[in-house]
Structure formats: C-alpha cells, structure tokens
Amino acid sequence: MALIRDLKGVTSTACNLLEKLHLLTTDDLLFHLPRDYEDRSTIVAMNQLSIGRSYLLEGEVKSVDFPPGKRKSMAVQVQDEFGKVTLRFYHIYKALTDKLNIGQRVRLFGEVRIGARGLELYHPEILTLQPLSRYSRLTAIYPSTEGLNQKKLREYIQLAFDLHSHDLTELLPKQFSKDYALKDALSYIHHPPLQANMQQLMQGQHPAQQRLILEELVSHQLSLLTRRAYVQHTASARCKPSKQLAKALLATLPFSLTNAQQRVSKDILSDLTQNKPMLRLVQGDVGAGKTLVAAVAACHALESGWQVALMAPTEILAEQHYLNFKRWLEPLGIHVSWLSGKQKGKARQMAEATIQQGIAKMVVGTHALFQDSINFKQLGLVIIDEQHRFGVDQRLALRDKGPNQTTPHQLIMTATPIPRTLAMSAYGDLDTSVIDELPPGRTPIHTVTVPLERREDVLQRIVNNCTDGKQAYWVCTLVEQSETLDAQAAEATYIEIQQRFPELNVGLVHGKMKANDKQAVMQAFKNNELQLLIATTVIEVGVDVPNATIMIIENAERLGLSQLHQLRGRVGRGAQASFCVLLYKNPLSQHGQERLSILKESNDGFVIAEKDLQIRGPGELLGTKQTGDLGFKVANLERDQYLLSQAQHIAQQLMQQDPKTVDALLNRWLPNAPRYAYV
Ligand code: ADP
Ligand code: MG
C-alpha cells in the first residue's frame, strides 16, 4: 500500500479531489467500488430508449444547428433505422464539430433525457467506430466528486491495481475466500469480464461481490463489537442484588408488572449486578410500559447508592418522566431533580451543584445531561428513552461521566420496534430485551383513512365527541419536516377551531412554545380540563394521557409508517375503544394507499416497522443520526440480510482470536470511523 500522493501520474489537484472522497492510499482506491455499471456492449435501437438511462447508440448525423436562446448551444440530430435523438452541446470546439458533419456515421454513449426536441443526450461521449468486441462489456461507474471525471478515476484505480494489488492481504477466514481471492474479487468488480452476468452484478449477487459484502459486514460488526468492548473494559457501577426499593415502589402501584415487564426487569437486574457495565436495549411497542421498567431499574441502582440519570429526546417527554418519577420515588425518600437546556442562571447553577454534590439522586432531563459542565458524584445508571434520536457517539460520551474508572450502566429504551436484522447492525453493541406484551385491558385502536375533502365531517364529529366528554388529539403536519411550519399550521387550526366552536375547551402545544407553557397545556389536557389538543408531532413520543381516545392526523401520507404508529400510540392507552383518523390529501398514489392501509390492518409495531424498512430503507427508519453509521460501500442491509448472522459469528470469533486482523479489517473498510481501543 502506498499514499496516492506518492504515485507518479497523479497531480496534486487530483489528489485533493480524491481526498474529498476520503481516498488517501492505494488501498482506498482499490476499495472504492463502483456504484453502477454501464453497458457498452450492444448498440441500442433508438426506439428502445428510456429516460434517465445511458446507452450506446449509433446513427447518421442528419442536421446540425445553433438554436437561438440565452445560452449558446449546438443541436445535432442523429438518426438510426428506428428513431432519432438530439445531441446537445453547450461547449463547442473545433475537434467536436469536425466529428459531427451531416451524413457522417457516429457512435455515442450518454444518458437520455427529455429536452426541447424530445429525447436528448447532453454532451455524449463520441466513440470511434471500432469493432465492438474491443470494449469492455460493463464499465464501472464510481462515486465521484465535481472536477473528477470517471475516466480519470478509472485510470487511478487501475494504477493502484497494477502497482499494489499483489500486496492485498486476505483477512477473512480461508473458507470464505476460496472461490475468489481478494485480488480476483476486486478485479472482477472493477472490470467485469466479457461474459459477466450483468443482472447478477447489478443486484450484488455475484460471488465476487458476496465475498466483499461479507467482509464489509464483518468489519461493520467489528466496529460495533470494539465499541462495546471499549465500554465494557472498565469497571461497572456494580449494584446489590437486593430488590427492596423496587418492591416498595411496586407495592404503591394499583397494578402489577406484566410477565414481559418482569422478564425484562430480571435481565436488567442481572446486568446491574455484574462488574462490567450494562449495555442493554429494551424494545417495546408504544404503551408496553417501558417507563415502569426503567423505574424498577433505577430503584436497583439507587438502593446501591448510585445516582441515576434519565434522558429523553424532547422537553415534553422529559418533563413527563420527571413528574412520574417524582410521584413514584419521592414517597420512598428519593430526591428527584430536573435538568434541561432551557434552565439558565441560578436555577441551572443550583441544578448542577446538587448533581455534583450527589444530593440529586435521580436526575431527569434532556440532552443537556450530556454537556461537559454536568458532573455527577456517583453516576451509576444512565437511562435513555426513545433511543433512535441519540447517536452512538453520544452514548459513548457517557463512559466519562462515571466516577473514577467506572462506567455507568446504560439502559436504552426504544418504542420504534426495530426489525431483528437491522437491530443487529444498528445496535450490535447492545444486548436486547423485548417487552412483547401490552398491559391487560387495552382495546386495539381502530384506524380509518379519510380524504382531506371530508375534513369538515371529521371535525364536526370530533367536536361532538368532545362535547360528550371524550378527549382527542388533532395533529398538524406539513410537507417539510419543519417544526416552525408545523407550529404555524397548528396555530392556524387552533384559531379556526376555537373561533368556530367557542364552547369547546381547546389547547395548543408545539415545539416552539416555552417549556412551562407546554407543560401547563399538557397538564390541563391530562386533567381533562381541555377536550381537544391541537399539536404538532412533538407529541410523537411517550406522552401519556390514558383518557384520550381519538386522534386525527392531517397529511398522514407524508409521515413514515413507524412515526404514524408512534403518534397513534398516544391513544388506546386505557380500556375504552380508541380511534385514529388518518386524513390524506388526494390524489393518493397506489404506493401511498398501500402504505396507509398497512396501518389500518396492523396494530403491531414490529410488522409496521418491517414494512417501513422495505418501503423507505434503514436510514429513514432509524432517523438521520444513525444513517452515517450505516454508510456501506458494497453491502445493502435489506438485500444482504441473509449474510448478517454469518458476519456476526465471524466477527465474534475474530474479536476473541485475532486482534491484528480486527484492526486490519477496520482500517480497510471503516478508515474514517472513530477507533476505540478495546483491550
Ligand atoms: P411506553 O412503553 O410507551 O413508554 P408507558 O411506560 O408510557 O409506555 O406506559 C403506558 C401506560 O401503561 C402508562 O399509563 C402506565 O402507567 C401503564 N402501565 C405500565 N405498566 C402497566 C402494567 N403492568 N399494568 C397496567 N398498566 C401499566
Ligand atoms: Mg415511553
């Protein structure tokens, strides 16, 4: 391996461009894999073209002209036996015009677009009329950056290949490289041979690709496992196995834990009593009762003298947890305190001081808890609610918040049910428990879809229901995922409803309001002083008002399925029958109809998440924070699921037996990811 800068024939301008693509070494070049292939093997008839695809075409130049317009351009009509296309050039020079005289035969390659004259090719490549067999069948197309064309990139990759492919090391166990040695696999993928099966290659199904995919998945697993090892390498805030405080808490509740809650609580207690830090993800559908499981876990740590921090992604949710924990724990003699980014001046200083002195035992708050200025005296357990909004790095930052050399236990709770395969990749560093049972007495939510034209009907009905004592949410969303615009839409709806139905008690809550005001409105809704709550998606996660039984979601077609499921999970929390009305804007595409009907048919967050994954891909499902972690070069989580358990298995073995190979794999596949010393 060598630095690209040291190669002859690569200019320093080119080096800078390659650096933009994170390509620094010859190995980086070798592993810069095609994102697509062009087929230059067959000349395609001009009546067989689809827009947006690239083709090899051949025909006769019929006309050349310079149409009037703002930008000077040249339009060249080329025709074959079957049809015609227009070539359009904005950059015109003699060598080009020489090749394009009327009556001349030309061979072209380029992407077909729709232009002023029908099918057009902008600046196609003009190729010589040599026999076709001289072309490579499939030409690799690489991810690139402005200023660096495919031809150059191909050249550099070839150069790296010629110079350094012989010193590539095999890093996978032998049985996985026997069909394709690494060098051969790379060679195949960069330069598919004449007889290559194009279909197979385009779908990532060729054995040469599969071998690399496996290697990348293994490396990805390794990055998770090394992170895990890094955290677990330190001592934990070990807890006593006694359960007195938890028992005392449960004795005050009007119900008992469900079997699933009990099972998960047991997993957690067993982790907490170990001398390595817990890293556990608790998954449970909306309403499964995760908060109580968190409270039970908190009791174990508190009883052993540790401080506990509970973090939630939004102010509203954090406040709700704060009030719950206060209600549950203060009667048991535990001081519960509050920390948020909005706290300023004296209040903030006080909050920080009580945390630092260890007076605050149970601290509930938002992201603010991660900040450097927050120092705990004896932090033993961190609980993160609705995990998908936090990034892995934020999770790692917690390692430093514990007292000297110990790492707090981490309990992560998510209501976005994550399909197993995806969980393995996104949360491979965590142990998982699932609360797969809802507390008794819940009635399933009845979901209907209604076009926006019938909004007035829906509104009248909701108002009637609310005057009869029911409570409802009305959720406003807009095209862009913008809390500001959503807030405006919610305000407009609020004003409209208030003016038209003055007898109704209507509330408004959105992310642009002050924390206190939001809290007051939520509290009034909880107390049944408000019957209708107009809201934005800020209420998406966690908020709990068991008496609310109706939810209307405007522009439902614009939200993700899991998000809709989360939202609708705000109702259906008591014994009464609940309804969810998804208002959609016509015309709704076939695809849109299918999506919404999934919600009508299923109340199971896992089923919905699987579908969401199929429809929208993993990045969307996990939220933007995590997509960076999932930036694969060759692997595709959905397509390559079948390789995941094998990858996990290989990774585990390598971790135990071969730290050198682990490092080499991480360097090869994840050269830009933060590296954690794990031994
Ligand atoms: P989520 O899993 O969505 O965070 P919550 O923790 O908010 O769910 O719980 C939803 C509701 O269920 C709350 O009102 C809570 O008090 C109630 N709950 C939790 N556990 C039980 C149980 N074992 N039996 C009855 N109700 C429960
Ligand atoms: Mg919750």
Side-chain angles (χ1 to χ4, degrees):
M1 179 163 60
L3 285 174
I4 299 173
R5 289 217 175 266
D6 299 338
L7 296 185
K8 272 205 192 109
V10 188
T11 62
S12 75
T13 324
C15 281
N16 294 342
L17 291 169
L18 291 168
E19 255 169 50
K20 275 198 191 164
L21 297 168
H22 301 290
L23 305 176
L24 296 171
T25 67
T26 49
D27 269 18
D28 294 343
L29 276 173
L30 293 176
F31 285 89
H32 191 62
L33 300 171
R35 60 168 167 77
D36 203 356
Y37 294 96
E38 281 171 3
D39 184 356
R40 299 186 177 212
S41 64
T42 20
I43 291 165
V44 178
M46 290 186 194
N47 61 353
Q48 300 291 320
L49 310 178
S50 355
I51 291 149
R53 299 214 48 188
S54 296
Y55 297 97
L56 187 65
L57 305 174
E58 199 173 305
E60 195 185 309
V61 176
K62 282 289 170 194
S63 69
V64 178
D65 62 299
F66 299 86
K70 265 197 223 135
R71 256 181 98 186
K72 190 180 176 207
S73 75
M74 174 167 82
V76 179
Q77 199 180 82
V78 177
Q79 191 175 321
D80 71 2
E81 267 177 83
F82 307 97
K84 58 178 200 266
V85 294
T86 300
L87 321 182
R88 186 153 319 248
F89 299 91
Y90 291 99
H91 179 52
I92 305 155
Y93 47 95
K94 186 162 183 307
L96 179 72
T97 46
D98 281 352
K99 288 184 201 161
L100 296 167
N101 293 316
I102 293 173
Q104 209 161 332
R105 251 195 117 60
V106 283
R107 188 179 292 167
L108 314 153
F109 188 87
E111 186 187 319
V112 173
R113 312 191 194 189
I114 197 88
R117 300 197 180 178
L119 297 183
E120 296 196 358
L121 277 71
Y122 290 16
H123 281 274
E125 281 179 61
I126 299 172
L127 306 165
T128 46
L129 294 161
Q130 60 199 335
L132 272 179
S133 60
R134 298 238 350 242
Y135 292 91
S136 162
R137 290 277 158 168
L138 296 177
T139 308
I141 305 291
Y142 295 96
S144 190
T145 183
E146 208 180 320
L148 188 64
N149 66 34
Q150 290 291 330
K151 198 160 156 266
K152 278 278 170 233
L153 199 47
R154 251 174 246 146
E155 231 175 81
Y156 299 146
I157 292 170
Q158 187 57 47
L159 188 65
F161 211 90
D162 294 343
L163 291 173
H164 289 283
S165 62
H166 55 274
D167 48 44
L168 284 169
T169 348
E170 291 293 341
L171 297 174
L172 277 187
K174 279 215 177 52
Q175 70 265 36
F176 302 107
S177 52
K178 65 180 189 317
D179 293 339
Y180 275 92
L182 183 57
K183 182 180 167 189
D184 302 336
L186 287 172
S187 158
Y188 195 103
I189 291 167
H190 286 298
H191 300 285
L194 287 172
Q195 75 285 2
N197 180 337
M198 165 111 166
Q199 200 73 3
Q200 209 181 26
L201 264 180
M202 298 294 255
Q203 290 168 1
Q205 302 285 343
H206 191 274
Q209 288 169 310
Q210 284 169 325
R211 184 215 176 283
L212 287 177
I213 291 165
L214 183 66
E215 190 173 319
E216 182 170 38
L217 290 174
V218 167
S219 307
H220 190 79
Q221 287 294 317
L222 285 172
S223 84
L224 295 169
L225 292 176
T226 52
R227 281 200 287 235
R228 179 185 169 86
Y230 168 79
V231 170
Q232 294 208 321
H233 185 57
T234 47
S236 74
R238 202 167 178 172
C239 299
K240 294 184 245 173
S242 143
K243 298 182 275 192
Q244 295 312 311
L245 196 60
K247 277 196 182 136
L249 167 65
L250 293 174
T252 65
L253 298 178
F255 48 75
S256 48
L257 294 179
T258 62
N259 288 331
Q261 283 172 318
Q262 276 178 32
R263 196 186 62 241
V264 173
S265 299
K266 231 176 161 174
D267 290 347
I268 294 170
L269 181 61
S270 148
D271 289 347
L272 292 174
T273 54
Q274 309 291 316
N275 57 11
K276 55 179 188 201
M278 168 169 78
L279 283 168
R280 186 168 291 278
L281 177 73
V282 170
Q283 290 187 47
D285 208 344
V286 270
K290 293 182 291 293
T291 319
L292 191 53
V293 169
V296 168
C299 283
H300 298 320
L302 291 164
E303 187 179 348
S304 303
W306 298 103
Q307 284 172 295
V308 177
L310 167 58
M311 230 171 325
T314 65
E315 196 100 357
I316 289 190
L317 191 51
E319 281 159 6
Q320 176 182 294
H321 283 322
Y322 171 62
L323 294 173
N324 270 330
F325 276 69
K326 217 171 149 74
R327 184 161 53 89
W328 285 336
L329 297 180
E330 290 204 334
L332 306 175
I334 305 287
H335 181 106
V336 181
S337 72
W338 166 250
L339 189 94
S340 99
K342 297 225 171 89
Q343 259 170 337
K344 295 271 150 34
K346 266 251 154 62
R348 178 59 178 255
Q349 275 171 17
M350 278 286 287
E352 287 186 12
T354 54
I355 293 171
Q356 185 149 20
Q357 289 154 18
I359 299 165
K361 295 290 180 213
M362 176 80 220
V363 188
V364 183
T366 57
H367 290 73
L369 284 166
F370 282 115
Q371 286 166 1
D372 288 342
S373 61
I374 312 295
N375 294 301
F376 289 83
K377 181 156 187 248
Q378 286 283 56
L379 183 62
L381 169 64
V382 174
I383 303 168
I384 303 178
D385 195 15
E386 314 296 353
Q387 137 74 15
H388 64 293
R389 303 206 166 191
F390 289 100
V392 169
D393 295 323
Q394 284 173 306
R395 233 159 62 206
L396 278 163
L398 291 169
R399 191 171 113 143
D400 308 326
K401 292 262 180 226
N404 49 15
Q405 305 304 313
T406 66
T407 300
H409 296 288
Q410 293 178 37
L411 178 64
I412 289 132
M413 303 192 294
T414 175
T416 304
I418 300 146
R420 207 181 65 85
T421 45
L422 186 53
M424 235 155 77
S425 283
Y427 306 117
D429 57 334
L430 304 173
D431 297 308
T432 314
S433 300
V434 183
I435 309 181
D436 52 4
E437 180 188 3
L438 295 181
R442 301 268 170 89
T443 35
I445 304 162
H446 186 68
T447 300
V448 292
T449 54
V450 176
L452 206 56
E453 288 85 9
R454 287 183 41 215
R455 181 178 184 270
E456 189 53 34
D457 281 2
V458 173
L459 183 56
Q460 289 291 346
R461 278 203 199 198
I462 300 309
V463 170
N464 289 342
N465 271 296
C466 286
T467 13
D468 286 350
K470 295 222 163 72
Q471 283 183 283
Y473 296 96
W474 188 292
V475 182
C476 302
T477 66
L478 282 177
V479 196
E480 287 140 283
Q481 292 275 328
S482 146
E483 185 58 36
T484 308
L485 293 177
D486 280 358
Q488 285 168 8
E491 263 164 22
T493 307
Y494 173 69
I495 292 166
E496 175 203 344
I497 296 182
Q498 220 185 17
Q499 282 175 350
R500 290 180 51 195
F501 308 98
E503 71 283 7
L504 201 65
N505 296 315
V506 194
L508 170 69
V509 61
H510 59 65
K512 296 281 151 188
M513 286 163 59
K514 288 216 177 82
N516 286 343
D517 299 343
K518 266 188 294 192
Q519 188 55 51
V521 175
M522 284 312 297
Q523 201 54 48
F525 190 59
K526 251 187 169 161
N527 298 345
N528 207 350
E529 290 152 25
L530 298 173
Q531 276 70 56
L532 183 61
L533 184 65
I534 315 296
T536 59
T537 52
V538 293
I539 55 146
E540 173 192 346
V541 282
V543 176
D544 189 38
V545 181
N547 190 53
T549 53
I550 304 167
M551 169 163 291
I552 294 86
I553 305 174
E554 277 195 74
N555 296 321
E557 77 281 4
R558 287 166 182 165
L559 299 183
L561 291 186
S562 284
Q563 197 182 6
L564 286 168
H565 179 65
Q566 296 283 311
L567 274 171
R568 129 180 115 169
R570 300 307 109 218
V571 297
R573 311 204 125 213
Q576 294 179 60
S578 293
F579 296 90
C580 174
V581 181
L582 304 174
L583 279 178
Y584 63 85
K585 193 166 173 191
N586 266 323
L588 189 59
S589 66
Q590 172 85 19
H591 177 71
Q593 279 170 23
E594 279 166 24
R595 293 183 63 225
L596 291 185
S597 67
I598 293 168
L599 284 166
K600 280 199 286 191
E601 283 150 23
S602 178
N603 262 309
D604 182 332
F606 278 86
V607 172
I608 291 163
E610 284 286 358
K611 302 266 185 191
D612 211 13
L613 177 64
Q614 283 165 18
I615 296 174
R616 303 201 307 158
E620 295 274 352
L621 187 59
L622 291 173
T624 42
K625 284 257 168 67
Q626 236 117 49
T627 43
D629 292 343
L630 297 175
F632 290 106
K633 288 182 183 168
V634 271
N636 171 320
L637 277 188
E638 282 152 79
R639 186 189 67 196
D640 307 325
Q641 287 187 23
Y642 69 104
L643 289 172
L644 271 169
S645 27
Q646 198 176 32
Q648 201 175 39
H649 183 73
I650 299 171
Q652 275 157 357
Q653 280 194 331
L654 288 173
M655 280 292 282
Q656 279 162 18
Q657 297 164 4
D658 196 350
K660 270 206 181 119
T661 303
V662 171
D663 278 345
L665 279 168
L666 291 174
N667 280 329
R668 178 177 286 171
W669 290 96
L670 298 147
N672 308 303
R675 199 54 50 80
Y676 302 102
Y678 59 94
V679 280

